[in-house]
């Protein structure tokens, strides 16, 4: 629905609720296509809320389970806060190793693994919309399955997705085979016929 249609609808006295419903119905068709597919999604990037296990081999007192805080940092023994936001686990391993090697541990060997990922969100025409725990390798179709499947009104050939990593939070139309990442919002649109 373009600006001219909105102005005409307001001029004809259509209620705001009806206008909002009409605009939501059109959002799926007007949304730009998602360009990334399953093979193009990059390595998992850490963010606030991720639970991590950090192992410094041979140094039990420096190892443990840590959570990425709201500012995107992990508080580590001896070296203090380490920035984890938007980094891979390999990047974080290198950063921790470098900082430990600077006067604390001789030739540190560090391993970082994600224990619990941040959630993703699914809305619209699914049986149980809400927040769900991210699982590696997820697609929009597996997200729908986690949410109990489609309702009878669901449009099943694509989803609308807002990427958590997108600073513009643009809604994009994507095939059901598209990858889902933590913080993404997936919406299954309603079919009208």
């Amino acid at each position: 629905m373009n600006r001219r249609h909105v102005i005409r609808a307001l001029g004809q006295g259509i209620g705001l609720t009806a206008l909002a419903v009409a605009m939501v119905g059109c959002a799926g068709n007007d949304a730009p296509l998602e360009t990334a597919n399953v093979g193009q999604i990059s390595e998992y990037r850490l963010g606030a809320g991720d639970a991590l296990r950090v192992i410094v081999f041979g140094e039990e007192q420096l190892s443990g389970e840590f959570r990425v805080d709201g500012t995107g940092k992990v508080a580590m023994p001896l070296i203090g806060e380490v920035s984890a936001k938007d980094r891979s686990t390999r990047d974080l391993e290198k950063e921790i190793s470098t900082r430990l090697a600077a006067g604390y541990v001789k030739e540190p060997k560090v391993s970082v693994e994600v224990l619990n990922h941040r959630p993703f969100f699914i809305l619209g025409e699914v049986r149980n919309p809400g927040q769900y725990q991210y699982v590696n390798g997820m697609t929009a179709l597996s997200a729908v399955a986690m949410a109990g499947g489609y309702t009878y009104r669901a449009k099943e050939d694509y989803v609308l997705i807002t990427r958590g990593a997108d600073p513009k939070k643009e809604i994009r139309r994507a095939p059901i085979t598209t990858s889902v990442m933590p913080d993404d919002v997936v919406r299954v649109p309603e079919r009208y016929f």
Side-chain angles (χ1 to χ4, degrees):
M1 182 173 269
N2 63 31
R3 177 181 265 170
R4 185 178 46 189
H5 289 109
V6 172
I7 293 170
R8 185 180 305 145
L10 290 174
Q12 292 173 351
I14 292 177
L16 289 178
T17 304
L19 180 61
V21 169
M23 290 180 75
V24 167
C26 294
N29 294 330
D30 293 342
L33 284 173
E34 174 78 7
T35 55
N37 64 31
V38 175
Q40 293 175 319
I41 297 297
S42 62
E43 187 174 14
Y44 182 78
R45 297 292 173 177
L46 299 169
D50 282 333
L52 308 174
R53 176 180 293 130
V54 178
I55 298 171
V56 181
F57 294 97
E59 301 291 336
E60 275 187 43
Q61 68 277 17
L62 300 177
S63 302
E65 294 181 7
F66 304 91
R67 186 165 294 278
V68 181
D69 69 18
T71 63
K73 295 181 179 170
V74 177
M76 296 288 303
L78 292 180
I79 59 175
E81 291 184 335
V82 180
S83 178
K85 184 178 179 183
D86 295 327
R87 298 178 93 167
S88 70
T89 54
R90 286 187 184 105
D91 291 342
L92 188 58
E93 288 170 356
K94 289 176 188 172
E95 175 73 18
I96 293 170
S97 292
T98 300
R99 290 179 62 179
L100 285 172
Y104 298 107
V105 177
K106 185 177 180 178
E107 297 180 27
K109 305 260 187 288
V110 178
S111 171
V112 175
E113 76 175 293
V114 180
L115 295 175
N116 289 316
H117 297 89
R118 301 179 312 280
F120 72 95
F121 306 88
I122 186 163
L123 310 168
E125 296 303 319
V126 291
R127 296 190 189 282
N128 302 304
Q131 170 182 308
Y132 289 89
Q133 195 67 37
Y134 170 78
V135 178
N136 279 326
M138 285 191 71
T139 64
L141 187 57
S142 57
V144 168
M146 288 177 82
Y150 294 110
T151 67
Y152 71 92
R153 294 182 303 265
K155 188 161 185 70
E156 298 180 20
D157 53 345
Y158 68 89
V159 296
L160 300 172
I161 192 162
T162 305
R163 296 289 183 189
D166 179 8
K168 295 180 183 178
K169 302 298 180 207
E170 186 174 14
I171 298 171
R172 295 189 168 275
R173 191 166 33 104
I176 58 172
T177 57
T178 194
S179 292
V180 173
M181 298 300 286
D183 297 328
D184 285 354
V185 178
V186 178
R187 185 166 65 83
V188 176
E190 181 179 4
R191 65 177 162 79
Y192 292 101
F193 301 104

